[in-house]
Amino acid sequence: MARYAIDTTTVNEAVSGGGLLVVAQWEAKDGEADRVAEILSRFLPEAQKEPGAQLFLISRAKDNPAQFLFYELFRDEAAFKAHQESAHFKTYIVGKALPLLARRERMQHGLI
């Protein structure tokens, strides 16, 4: 999962227009971390192609591989809603990954 959101866009370009930043933390159930990572590796390229996704990063903790951290920058609330309604979100996240989690937290932020 070492890919960035959009190969041709710098972070400065991605954040220059503001937007909605979503930060999420996941922790996989015991024994499920590798399955979650594999699901996310299939989900990430699809999420990165969304027109409203300005930046989409997923990382895995080095000291606890069951923990995942998401940084998602969307153009606006409508883009975030479209993300949650996308087929790949419903298939990979709702249908496959969420049942494997022990914990899921999300926070939304506006850029300053």
Side-chain angles (χ1 to χ4, degrees):
M1 281 184 282
R3 293 165 276 176
Y4 291 91
I6 301 161
D7 292 335
T8 59
T9 303
T10 68
V11 172
N12 282 341
E13 291 168 337
V15 301
S16 67
L20 175 68
L21 178 65
V22 177
V23 179
Q25 294 181 316
W26 288 9
E27 186 165 350
K29 293 177 182 175
D30 287 343
E32 300 292 1
D34 288 341
R35 281 184 63 199
V36 170
E38 192 272 325
I39 292 164
L40 292 175
S41 72
R42 289 185 282 149
F43 165 76
L44 184 59
E46 297 300 319
Q48 292 171 335
K49 293 177 192 173
E50 295 175 25
Q54 295 173 253
L55 185 68
F56 208 108
L57 307 172
I58 303 174
S59 63
R60 190 173 184 184
K62 291 184 181 231
D63 60 343
N64 182 353
Q67 294 179 340
F68 299 85
L69 184 63
F70 297 67
Y71 287 98
E72 309 167 6
L73 179 61
F74 296 95
R75 181 182 54 241
D76 52 27
E77 293 270 353
F80 178 57
K81 183 175 169 101
H83 165 69
Q84 292 182 304
E85 293 174 356
S86 69
H88 53 271
F89 183 88
K90 290 178 182 178
T91 298
Y92 293 116
I93 302 304
V94 177
K96 296 182 181 196
L98 293 184
L100 304 177
L101 300 183
R103 182 177 60 87
R104 178 187 184 208
E105 298 176 18
R106 284 188 308 188
M107 296 183 301
Q108 295 184 12
H109 303 268
L111 295 178
I112 55 172

mmCIF file of all heavy atoms in Angstrom, residues 15-65:
data_model
loop_
_atom_site.group_PDB
_atom_site.id
_atom_site.type_symbol
_atom_site.label_atom_id
_atom_site.label_comp_id
_atom_site.label_asym_id
_atom_site.label_seq_id
_atom_site.Cartn_x
_atom_site.Cartn_y
_atom_site.Cartn_z
ATOM 1 N N VAL A 15 -4.212 19.999 -1.729
ATOM 2 C CA VAL A 15 -4.849 20.707 -0.616
ATOM 3 C C VAL A 15 -5.135 22.172 -0.911
ATOM 4 O O VAL A 15 -5.806 22.838 -0.121
ATOM 5 C CB VAL A 15 -4.010 20.597 0.683
ATOM 6 C CG1 VAL A 15 -3.825 19.151 1.074
ATOM 7 C CG2 VAL A 15 -2.684 21.303 0.557
ATOM 8 N N SER A 16 -4.690 22.679 -2.030
ATOM 9 C CA SER A 16 -4.824 24.111 -2.308
ATOM 10 C C SER A 16 -6.261 24.588 -2.402
ATOM 11 O O SER A 16 -6.552 25.730 -2.088
ATOM 12 C CB SER A 16 -4.062 24.482 -3.584
ATOM 13 O OG SER A 16 -4.684 23.872 -4.703
ATOM 14 N N GLY A 17 -7.166 23.730 -2.799
ATOM 15 C CA GLY A 17 -8.560 24.142 -2.933
ATOM 16 C C GLY A 17 -9.412 23.874 -1.713
ATOM 17 O O GLY A 17 -10.627 23.998 -1.757
ATOM 18 N N GLY A 18 -8.770 23.487 -0.601
ATOM 19 C CA GLY A 18 -9.534 23.162 0.592
ATOM 20 C C GLY A 18 -10.140 21.787 0.454
ATOM 21 O O GLY A 18 -9.619 20.933 -0.243
ATOM 22 N N GLY A 19 -11.246 21.579 1.115
ATOM 23 C CA GLY A 19 -11.925 20.299 1.009
ATOM 24 C C GLY A 19 -12.238 19.704 2.360
ATOM 25 O O GLY A 19 -12.082 20.340 3.401
ATOM 26 N N LEU A 20 -12.670 18.475 2.327
ATOM 27 C CA LEU A 20 -13.038 17.736 3.525
ATOM 28 C C LEU A 20 -11.997 16.649 3.758
ATOM 29 O O LEU A 20 -11.797 15.781 2.910
ATOM 30 C CB LEU A 20 -14.420 17.096 3.351
ATOM 31 C CG LEU A 20 -14.878 16.183 4.490
ATOM 32 C CD1 LEU A 20 -15.141 16.998 5.760
ATOM 33 C CD2 LEU A 20 -16.112 15.417 4.080
ATOM 34 N N LEU A 21 -11.314 16.715 4.897
ATOM 35 C CA LEU A 21 -10.317 15.715 5.257
ATOM 36 C C LEU A 21 -10.954 14.719 6.207
ATOM 37 O O LEU A 21 -11.528 15.092 7.226
ATOM 38 C CB LEU A 21 -9.116 16.374 5.933
ATOM 39 C CG LEU A 21 -8.007 15.435 6.410
ATOM 40 C CD1 LEU A 21 -7.338 14.742 5.226
ATOM 41 C CD2 LEU A 21 -6.997 16.186 7.247
ATOM 42 N N VAL A 22 -10.872 13.441 5.849
ATOM 43 C CA VAL A 22 -11.383 12.369 6.693
ATOM 44 C C VAL A 22 -10.180 11.553 7.147
ATOM 45 O O VAL A 22 -9.380 11.105 6.329
ATOM 46 C CB VAL A 22 -12.391 11.478 5.933
ATOM 47 C CG1 VAL A 22 -12.857 10.325 6.813
ATOM 48 C CG2 VAL A 22 -13.564 12.309 5.444
ATOM 49 N N VAL A 23 -10.050 11.396 8.457
ATOM 50 C CA VAL A 23 -8.995 10.584 9.040
ATOM 51 C C VAL A 23 -9.678 9.414 9.732
ATOM 52 O O VAL A 23 -10.571 9.613 10.557
ATOM 53 C CB VAL A 23 -8.146 11.380 10.048
ATOM 54 C CG1 VAL A 23 -7.069 10.505 10.663
ATOM 55 C CG2 VAL A 23 -7.539 12.606 9.387
ATOM 56 N N ALA A 24 -9.283 8.217 9.369
ATOM 57 C CA ALA A 24 -9.894 7.025 9.949
ATOM 58 C C ALA A 24 -8.811 6.118 10.511
ATOM 59 O O ALA A 24 -7.703 6.052 9.975
ATOM 60 C CB ALA A 24 -10.708 6.279 8.895
ATOM 61 N N GLN A 25 -9.145 5.452 11.599
ATOM 62 C CA GLN A 25 -8.262 4.466 12.199
ATOM 63 C C GLN A 25 -9.025 3.158 12.309
ATOM 64 O O GLN A 25 -10.161 3.141 12.794
ATOM 65 C CB GLN A 25 -7.803 4.903 13.579
ATOM 66 C CG GLN A 25 -6.920 6.121 13.560
ATOM 67 C CD GLN A 25 -6.472 6.504 14.955
ATOM 68 O OE1 GLN A 25 -7.258 6.514 15.893
ATOM 69 N NE2 GLN A 25 -5.198 6.823 15.090
ATOM 70 N N TRP A 26 -8.391 2.110 11.857
ATOM 71 C CA TRP A 26 -8.972 0.772 11.944
ATOM 72 C C TRP A 26 -8.029 -0.114 12.726
ATOM 73 O O TRP A 26 -6.820 0.028 12.662
ATOM 74 C CB TRP A 26 -9.112 0.144 10.572
ATOM 75 C CG TRP A 26 -10.157 0.665 9.670
ATOM 76 C CD1 TRP A 26 -10.945 1.775 9.822
ATOM 77 C CD2 TRP A 26 -10.540 0.088 8.426
ATOM 78 N NE1 TRP A 26 -11.780 1.905 8.756
ATOM 79 C CE2 TRP A 26 -11.556 0.883 7.883
ATOM 80 C CE3 TRP A 26 -10.101 -1.019 7.722
ATOM 81 C CZ2 TRP A 26 -12.158 0.603 6.666
ATOM 82 C CZ3 TRP A 26 -10.695 -1.312 6.510
ATOM 83 C CH2 TRP A 26 -11.719 -0.510 5.991
ATOM 84 N N GLU A 27 -8.634 -1.084 13.405
ATOM 85 C CA GLU A 27 -7.863 -2.163 13.992
ATOM 86 C C GLU A 27 -8.546 -3.468 13.634
ATOM 87 O O GLU A 27 -9.739 -3.650 13.909
ATOM 88 C CB GLU A 27 -7.734 -2.022 15.497
ATOM 89 C CG GLU A 27 -6.814 -3.073 16.079
ATOM 90 C CD GLU A 27 -6.355 -2.781 17.490
ATOM 91 O OE1 GLU A 27 -6.588 -1.671 17.987
ATOM 92 O OE2 GLU A 27 -5.750 -3.680 18.083
ATOM 93 N N ALA A 28 -7.792 -4.347 13.017
ATOM 94 C CA ALA A 28 -8.331 -5.638 12.595
ATOM 95 C C ALA A 28 -8.486 -6.563 13.799
ATOM 96 O O ALA A 28 -7.743 -6.464 14.783
ATOM 97 C CB ALA A 28 -7.407 -6.283 11.567
ATOM 98 N N LYS A 29 -9.445 -7.463 13.697
ATOM 99 C CA LYS A 29 -9.595 -8.504 14.704
ATOM 100 C C LYS A 29 -8.350 -9.385 14.682
ATOM 101 O O LYS A 29 -7.629 -9.440 13.679
ATOM 102 C CB LYS A 29 -10.829 -9.367 14.405
ATOM 103 C CG LYS A 29 -12.141 -8.629 14.557
ATOM 104 C CD LYS A 29 -13.308 -9.543 14.172
ATOM 105 C CE LYS A 29 -14.632 -8.798 14.268
ATOM 106 N NZ LYS A 29 -15.760 -9.625 13.780
ATOM 107 N N ASP A 30 -8.117 -10.091 15.777
ATOM 108 C CA ASP A 30 -6.971 -10.997 15.851
ATOM 109 C C ASP A 30 -6.960 -11.947 14.662
ATOM 110 O O ASP A 30 -7.973 -12.564 14.340
ATOM 111 C CB ASP A 30 -7.010 -11.806 17.150
ATOM 112 C CG ASP A 30 -6.670 -10.977 18.374
ATOM 113 O OD1 ASP A 30 -6.092 -9.882 18.217
ATOM 114 O OD2 ASP A 30 -6.985 -11.422 19.497
ATOM 115 N N GLY A 31 -5.821 -12.032 14.013
ATOM 116 C CA GLY A 31 -5.646 -12.939 12.899
ATOM 117 C C GLY A 31 -6.191 -12.466 11.565
ATOM 118 O O GLY A 31 -6.083 -13.172 10.566
ATOM 119 N N GLU A 32 -6.777 -11.269 11.500
ATOM 120 C CA GLU A 32 -7.410 -10.781 10.271
ATOM 121 C C GLU A 32 -6.653 -9.652 9.576
ATOM 122 O O GLU A 32 -7.068 -9.183 8.525
ATOM 123 C CB GLU A 32 -8.836 -10.310 10.563
ATOM 124 C CG GLU A 32 -9.747 -11.382 11.133
ATOM 125 C CD GLU A 32 -10.079 -12.490 10.150
ATOM 126 O OE1 GLU A 32 -9.603 -12.472 8.991
ATOM 127 O OE2 GLU A 32 -10.832 -13.400 10.535
ATOM 128 N N ALA A 33 -5.531 -9.212 10.142
ATOM 129 C CA ALA A 33 -4.828 -8.035 9.608
ATOM 130 C C ALA A 33 -4.373 -8.218 8.163
ATOM 131 O O ALA A 33 -4.513 -7.302 7.348
ATOM 132 C CB ALA A 33 -3.649 -7.674 10.500
ATOM 133 N N ASP A 34 -3.837 -9.367 7.839
ATOM 134 C CA ASP A 34 -3.369 -9.574 6.468
ATOM 135 C C ASP A 34 -4.532 -9.614 5.485
ATOM 136 O O ASP A 34 -4.405 -9.129 4.353
ATOM 137 C CB ASP A 34 -2.524 -10.848 6.369
ATOM 138 C CG ASP A 34 -1.158 -10.694 7.021
ATOM 139 O OD1 ASP A 34 -0.717 -9.542 7.223
ATOM 140 O OD2 ASP A 34 -0.540 -11.730 7.341
ATOM 141 N N ARG A 35 -5.651 -10.174 5.881
ATOM 142 C CA ARG A 35 -6.832 -10.172 5.013
ATOM 143 C C ARG A 35 -7.318 -8.748 4.789
ATOM 144 O O ARG A 35 -7.670 -8.367 3.667
ATOM 145 C CB ARG A 35 -7.962 -11.010 5.619
ATOM 146 C CG ARG A 35 -7.763 -12.492 5.422
ATOM 147 C CD ARG A 35 -8.916 -13.320 5.937
ATOM 148 N NE ARG A 35 -10.153 -13.038 5.215
ATOM 149 C CZ ARG A 35 -11.360 -13.328 5.670
ATOM 150 N NH1 ARG A 35 -11.522 -13.898 6.857
ATOM 151 N NH2 ARG A 35 -12.435 -13.061 4.958
ATOM 152 N N VAL A 36 -7.334 -7.934 5.846
ATOM 153 C CA VAL A 36 -7.743 -6.527 5.705
ATOM 154 C C VAL A 36 -6.787 -5.812 4.757
ATOM 155 O O VAL A 36 -7.221 -5.083 3.857
ATOM 156 C CB VAL A 36 -7.811 -5.824 7.085
ATOM 157 C CG1 VAL A 36 -7.995 -4.321 6.914
ATOM 158 C CG2 VAL A 36 -8.932 -6.413 7.937
ATOM 159 N N ALA A 37 -5.494 -6.013 4.914
ATOM 160 C CA ALA A 37 -4.502 -5.365 4.042
ATOM 161 C C ALA A 37 -4.714 -5.764 2.586
ATOM 162 O O ALA A 37 -4.610 -4.924 1.683
ATOM 163 C CB ALA A 37 -3.089 -5.718 4.499
ATOM 164 N N GLU A 38 -5.022 -7.014 2.344
ATOM 165 C CA GLU A 38 -5.236 -7.480 0.974
ATOM 166 C C GLU A 38 -6.496 -6.841 0.379
ATOM 167 O O GLU A 38 -6.496 -6.409 -0.775
ATOM 168 C CB GLU A 38 -5.358 -9.015 0.979
ATOM 169 C CG GLU A 38 -5.305 -9.637 -0.388
ATOM 170 C CD GLU A 38 -6.666 -9.737 -1.051
ATOM 171 O OE1 GLU A 38 -7.653 -9.958 -0.349
ATOM 172 O OE2 GLU A 38 -6.744 -9.558 -2.274
ATOM 173 N N ILE A 39 -7.548 -6.728 1.157
ATOM 174 C CA ILE A 39 -8.785 -6.068 0.704
ATOM 175 C C ILE A 39 -8.493 -4.605 0.376
ATOM 176 O O ILE A 39 -8.911 -4.090 -0.663
ATOM 177 C CB ILE A 39 -9.893 -6.197 1.765
ATOM 178 C CG1 ILE A 39 -10.341 -7.655 1.883
ATOM 179 C CG2 ILE A 39 -11.071 -5.272 1.446
ATOM 180 C CD1 ILE A 39 -11.144 -7.958 3.139
ATOM 181 N N LEU A 40 -7.761 -3.937 1.256
ATOM 182 C CA LEU A 40 -7.443 -2.530 1.039
ATOM 183 C C LEU A 40 -6.562 -2.325 -0.188
ATOM 184 O O LEU A 40 -6.697 -1.316 -0.882
ATOM 185 C CB LEU A 40 -6.793 -1.928 2.289
ATOM 186 C CG LEU A 40 -7.701 -1.806 3.501
ATOM 187 C CD1 LEU A 40 -6.919 -1.323 4.720
ATOM 188 C CD2 LEU A 40 -8.888 -0.894 3.212
ATOM 189 N N SER A 41 -5.692 -3.265 -0.468
ATOM 190 C CA SER A 41 -4.841 -3.125 -1.655
ATOM 191 C C SER A 41 -5.665 -3.206 -2.942
ATOM 192 O O SER A 41 -5.281 -2.638 -3.957
ATOM 193 C CB SER A 41 -3.732 -4.168 -1.651
ATOM 194 O OG SER A 41 -4.244 -5.452 -1.917
ATOM 195 N N ARG A 42 -6.791 -3.880 -2.910
ATOM 196 C CA ARG A 42 -7.683 -3.920 -4.076
ATOM 197 C C ARG A 42 -8.598 -2.692 -4.115
ATOM 198 O O ARG A 42 -8.956 -2.207 -5.182
ATOM 199 C CB ARG A 42 -8.509 -5.205 -4.071
ATOM 200 C CG ARG A 42 -7.654 -6.430 -4.392
ATOM 201 C CD ARG A 42 -8.472 -7.681 -4.519
ATOM 202 N NE ARG A 42 -8.796 -8.142 -3.169
ATOM 203 C CZ ARG A 42 -9.906 -8.794 -2.840
ATOM 204 N NH1 ARG A 42 -10.811 -9.084 -3.741
ATOM 205 N NH2 ARG A 42 -10.105 -9.180 -1.611
ATOM 206 N N PHE A 43 -8.976 -2.206 -2.946
ATOM 207 C CA PHE A 43 -9.867 -1.049 -2.845
ATOM 208 C C PHE A 43 -9.165 0.260 -3.215
ATOM 209 O O PHE A 43 -9.732 1.107 -3.913
ATOM 210 C CB PHE A 43 -10.404 -0.963 -1.405
ATOM 211 C CG PHE A 43 -11.030 0.349 -1.057
ATOM 212 C CD1 PHE A 43 -12.294 0.676 -1.523
ATOM 213 C CD2 PHE A 43 -10.368 1.261 -0.261
ATOM 214 C CE1 PHE A 43 -12.886 1.894 -1.195
ATOM 215 C CE2 PHE A 43 -10.938 2.477 0.062
ATOM 216 C CZ PHE A 43 -12.201 2.788 -0.404
ATOM 217 N N LEU A 44 -7.937 0.424 -2.751
ATOM 218 C CA LEU A 44 -7.239 1.709 -2.875
ATOM 219 C C LEU A 44 -7.159 2.253 -4.305
ATOM 220 O O LEU A 44 -7.497 3.423 -4.523
ATOM 221 C CB LEU A 44 -5.845 1.617 -2.250
ATOM 222 C CG LEU A 44 -5.029 2.901 -2.219
ATOM 223 C CD1 LEU A 44 -5.747 3.997 -1.447
ATOM 224 C CD2 LEU A 44 -3.661 2.629 -1.615
ATOM 225 N N PRO A 45 -6.765 1.467 -5.297
ATOM 226 C CA PRO A 45 -6.697 2.041 -6.656
ATOM 227 C C PRO A 45 -8.047 2.542 -7.161
ATOM 228 O O PRO A 45 -8.108 3.535 -7.890
ATOM 229 C CB PRO A 45 -6.188 0.880 -7.513
ATOM 230 C CG PRO A 45 -5.584 -0.092 -6.574
ATOM 231 C CD PRO A 45 -6.291 0.079 -5.269
ATOM 232 N N GLU A 46 -9.115 1.886 -6.777
ATOM 233 C CA GLU A 46 -10.447 2.333 -7.184
ATOM 234 C C GLU A 46 -10.808 3.648 -6.501
ATOM 235 O O GLU A 46 -11.333 4.567 -7.130
ATOM 236 C CB GLU A 46 -11.493 1.260 -6.862
ATOM 237 C CG GLU A 46 -11.290 -0.038 -7.603
ATOM 238 C CD GLU A 46 -11.348 0.136 -9.109
ATOM 239 O OE1 GLU A 46 -12.217 0.888 -9.597
ATOM 240 O OE2 GLU A 46 -10.522 -0.483 -9.797
ATOM 241 N N ALA A 47 -10.526 3.749 -5.216
ATOM 242 C CA ALA A 47 -10.823 4.981 -4.475
ATOM 243 C C ALA A 47 -10.013 6.150 -5.015
ATOM 244 O O ALA A 47 -10.509 7.277 -5.106
ATOM 245 C CB ALA A 47 -10.553 4.773 -2.990
ATOM 246 N N GLN A 48 -8.773 5.891 -5.402
ATOM 247 C CA GLN A 48 -7.904 6.945 -5.907
ATOM 248 C C GLN A 48 -8.365 7.492 -7.248
ATOM 249 O O GLN A 48 -8.009 8.606 -7.613
ATOM 250 C CB GLN A 48 -6.470 6.436 -6.002
ATOM 251 C CG GLN A 48 -5.862 6.178 -4.648
ATOM 252 C CD GLN A 48 -4.532 5.484 -4.722
ATOM 253 O OE1 GLN A 48 -4.235 4.794 -5.688
ATOM 254 N NE2 GLN A 48 -3.720 5.644 -3.696
ATOM 255 N N LYS A 49 -9.157 6.731 -7.974
ATOM 256 C CA LYS A 49 -9.666 7.173 -9.279
ATOM 257 C C LYS A 49 -10.907 8.047 -9.173
ATOM 258 O O LYS A 49 -11.326 8.628 -10.174
ATOM 259 C CB LYS A 49 -10.006 5.959 -10.149
ATOM 260 C CG LYS A 49 -8.822 5.139 -10.561
ATOM 261 C CD LYS A 49 -9.298 3.924 -11.351
ATOM 262 C CE LYS A 49 -8.209 2.918 -11.552
ATOM 263 N NZ LYS A 49 -8.710 1.683 -12.177
ATOM 264 N N GLU A 50 -11.500 8.137 -7.995
ATOM 265 C CA GLU A 50 -12.730 8.912 -7.858
ATOM 266 C C GLU A 50 -12.465 10.378 -8.194
ATOM 267 O O GLU A 50 -11.476 10.949 -7.731
ATOM 268 C CB GLU A 50 -13.270 8.813 -6.429
ATOM 269 C CG GLU A 50 -13.703 7.424 -6.041
ATOM 270 C CD GLU A 50 -14.110 7.334 -4.583
ATOM 271 O OE1 GLU A 50 -14.511 8.354 -3.994
ATOM 272 O OE2 GLU A 50 -14.016 6.223 -4.028
ATOM 273 N N PRO A 51 -13.345 10.998 -8.977
ATOM 274 C CA PRO A 51 -13.107 12.388 -9.369
ATOM 275 C C PRO A 51 -13.067 13.362 -8.195
ATOM 276 O O PRO A 51 -12.386 14.373 -8.260
ATOM 277 C CB PRO A 51 -14.266 12.702 -10.317
ATOM 278 C CG PRO A 51 -15.265 11.633 -10.116
ATOM 279 C CD PRO A 51 -14.560 10.442 -9.560
ATOM 280 N N GLY A 52 -13.741 13.060 -7.105
ATOM 281 C CA GLY A 52 -13.765 13.960 -5.954
ATOM 282 C C GLY A 52 -12.697 13.682 -4.922
ATOM 283 O O GLY A 52 -12.577 14.386 -3.932
ATOM 284 N N ALA A 53 -11.871 12.651 -5.148
ATOM 285 C CA ALA A 53 -10.786 12.316 -4.221
ATOM 286 C C ALA A 53 -9.530 13.081 -4.616
ATOM 287 O O ALA A 53 -8.943 12.837 -5.653
ATOM 288 C CB ALA A 53 -10.522 10.817 -4.224
ATOM 289 N N GLN A 54 -9.134 14.026 -3.784
ATOM 290 C CA GLN A 54 -7.950 14.820 -4.066
ATOM 291 C C GLN A 54 -6.682 14.153 -3.551
ATOM 292 O O GLN A 54 -5.603 14.360 -4.096
ATOM 293 C CB GLN A 54 -8.114 16.210 -3.455
ATOM 294 C CG GLN A 54 -9.244 16.989 -4.102
ATOM 295 C CD GLN A 54 -9.528 18.284 -3.393
ATOM 296 O OE1 GLN A 54 -10.527 18.412 -2.713
ATOM 297 N NE2 GLN A 54 -8.636 19.239 -3.536
ATOM 298 N N LEU A 55 -6.819 13.383 -2.487
ATOM 299 C CA LEU A 55 -5.696 12.677 -1.883
ATOM 300 C C LEU A 55 -6.261 11.494 -1.118
ATOM 301 O O LEU A 55 -7.245 11.640 -0.391
ATOM 302 C CB LEU A 55 -4.939 13.611 -0.935
ATOM 303 C CG LEU A 55 -3.667 13.103 -0.288
ATOM 304 C CD1 LEU A 55 -2.570 12.917 -1.338
ATOM 305 C CD2 LEU A 55 -3.200 14.079 0.772
ATOM 306 N N PHE A 56 -5.670 10.320 -1.280
ATOM 307 C CA PHE A 56 -6.207 9.135 -0.619
ATOM 308 C C PHE A 56 -5.027 8.245 -0.244
ATOM 309 O O PHE A 56 -4.415 7.627 -1.105
ATOM 310 C CB PHE A 56 -7.166 8.392 -1.549
ATOM 311 C CG PHE A 56 -8.221 7.618 -0.824
ATOM 312 C CD1 PHE A 56 -9.526 8.047 -0.834
ATOM 313 C CD2 PHE A 56 -7.907 6.465 -0.122
ATOM 314 C CE1 PHE A 56 -10.513 7.347 -0.164
ATOM 315 C CE2 PHE A 56 -8.880 5.753 0.554
ATOM 316 C CZ PHE A 56 -10.184 6.191 0.532
ATOM 317 N N LEU A 57 -4.704 8.184 1.037
ATOM 318 C CA LEU A 57 -3.567 7.417 1.530
ATOM 319 C C LEU A 57 -4.032 6.429 2.589
ATOM 320 O O LEU A 57 -4.877 6.767 3.423
ATOM 321 C CB LEU A 57 -2.522 8.334 2.169
ATOM 322 C CG LEU A 57 -2.017 9.508 1.351
ATOM 323 C CD1 LEU A 57 -1.140 10.406 2.205
ATOM 324 C CD2 LEU A 57 -1.254 9.016 0.152
ATOM 325 N N ILE A 58 -3.481 5.239 2.559
ATOM 326 C CA ILE A 58 -3.735 4.255 3.602
ATOM 327 C C ILE A 58 -2.385 3.744 4.065
ATOM 328 O O ILE A 58 -1.531 3.401 3.253
ATOM 329 C CB ILE A 58 -4.590 3.079 3.100
ATOM 330 C CG1 ILE A 58 -5.922 3.563 2.538
ATOM 331 C CG2 ILE A 58 -4.825 2.079 4.237
ATOM 332 C CD1 ILE A 58 -6.758 2.465 1.880
ATOM 333 N N SER A 59 -2.201 3.680 5.381
ATOM 334 C CA SER A 59 -0.940 3.170 5.920
ATOM 335 C C SER A 59 -1.236 2.070 6.933
ATOM 336 O O SER A 59 -2.346 1.958 7.461
ATOM 337 C CB SER A 59 -0.127 4.295 6.565
ATOM 338 O OG SER A 59 -0.827 4.832 7.666
ATOM 339 N N ARG A 60 -0.203 1.289 7.190
ATOM 340 C CA ARG A 60 -0.300 0.194 8.159
ATOM 341 C C ARG A 60 0.786 0.418 9.198
ATOM 342 O O ARG A 60 1.955 0.648 8.853
ATOM 343 C CB ARG A 60 -0.105 -1.129 7.429
ATOM 344 C CG ARG A 60 -0.399 -2.352 8.250
ATOM 345 C CD ARG A 60 -0.348 -3.600 7.386
ATOM 346 N NE ARG A 60 -0.714 -4.776 8.153
ATOM 347 C CZ ARG A 60 -0.687 -6.003 7.675
ATOM 348 N NH1 ARG A 60 -0.336 -6.221 6.418
ATOM 349 N NH2 ARG A 60 -1.021 -7.020 8.438
ATOM 350 N N ALA A 61 0.421 0.339 10.465
ATOM 351 C CA ALA A 61 1.369 0.612 11.545
ATOM 352 C C ALA A 61 2.506 -0.399 11.547
ATOM 353 O O ALA A 61 2.277 -1.597 11.406
ATOM 354 C CB ALA A 61 0.654 0.595 12.890
ATOM 355 N N LYS A 62 3.712 0.095 11.706
ATOM 356 C CA LYS A 62 4.877 -0.787 11.733
ATOM 357 C C LYS A 62 4.956 -1.576 13.030
ATOM 358 O O LYS A 62 5.379 -2.724 13.037
ATOM 359 C CB LYS A 62 6.156 0.019 11.528
ATOM 360 C CG LYS A 62 6.274 0.569 10.123
ATOM 361 C CD LYS A 62 7.586 1.272 9.920
ATOM 362 C CE LYS A 62 7.630 1.804 8.514
ATOM 363 N NZ LYS A 62 8.823 1.438 7.811
ATOM 364 N N ASP A 63 4.566 -0.956 14.137
ATOM 365 C CA ASP A 63 4.677 -1.636 15.430
ATOM 366 C C ASP A 63 3.464 -2.501 15.763
ATOM 367 O O ASP A 63 3.509 -3.314 16.680
ATOM 368 C CB ASP A 63 4.952 -0.641 16.551
ATOM 369 C CG ASP A 63 3.862 0.401 16.706
ATOM 370 O OD1 ASP A 63 3.050 0.564 15.775
ATOM 371 O OD2 ASP A 63 3.812 1.060 17.759
ATOM 372 N N ASN A 64 2.363 -2.319 15.033
ATOM 373 C CA ASN A 64 1.174 -3.146 15.224
ATOM 374 C C ASN A 64 0.478 -3.286 13.871
ATOM 375 O O ASN A 64 -0.364 -2.468 13.518
ATOM 376 C CB ASN A 64 0.229 -2.536 16.256
ATOM 377 C CG ASN A 64 -0.995 -3.405 16.499
ATOM 378 O OD1 ASN A 64 -1.219 -4.400 15.811
ATOM 379 N ND2 ASN A 64 -1.797 -3.026 17.473
ATOM 380 N N PRO A 65 0.803 -4.309 13.107
ATOM 381 C CA PRO A 65 0.271 -4.435 11.751
ATOM 382 C C PRO A 65 -1.233 -4.633 11.669
ATOM 383 O O PRO A 65 -1.786 -4.661 10.580
ATOM 384 C CB PRO A 65 1.020 -5.633 11.165
ATOM 385 C CG PRO A 65 1.841 -6.214 12.241
ATOM 386 C CD PRO A 65 1.782 -5.341 13.427
#
